[in-house]
Amino acid sequence: MERRVKDKQDAGVRTTPASAVPAGPPRIDSAALFSGRNEIIIAHQGRDYRLRLTAHGKLILTA
């Protein structure tokens, strides 16, 4: 039995070309964020968060 599939245009589904869709979340190098420091403050929804770079190269985020 042959199965018919409606055209996407008929179904009201809009598609976006793959070239217009970002590949993923933005990538920011930590060196650019820290600029030689070992701690930065990130303001988010009215609160400050502290992002620290440890001596072992790990990141710690605290409120």
Side-chain angles (χ1 to χ4, degrees), residues 5-44:
V5 178
K6 276 189 165 183
D7 182 24
K8 288 183 180 179
Q9 293 290 345
D10 293 339
V13 176
R14 296 186 198 275
T15 59
T16 304
S19 61
V21 178
R27 184 179 175 96
I28 301 170
D29 191 82
S30 62
L33 281 175
F34 286 100
S35 300
R37 299 178 200 91
N38 64 353
E39 185 175 277
I40 60 172
I41 304 295
I42 300 171
H44 177 69

Side-chain angles (χ1 to χ4, degrees), residues 2-3 6 11-12 23-24 26-28 36 41 43 45-46 48 50-51 54-55 57 61:
E2 186 178 351
R3 190 171 196 181
K6 276 189 165 183
R27 184 179 175 96
I28 301 170
I41 304 295
Q45 295 183 350
D48 285 347
R50 191 173 305 268
L51 184 61
T54 70
L61 181 65

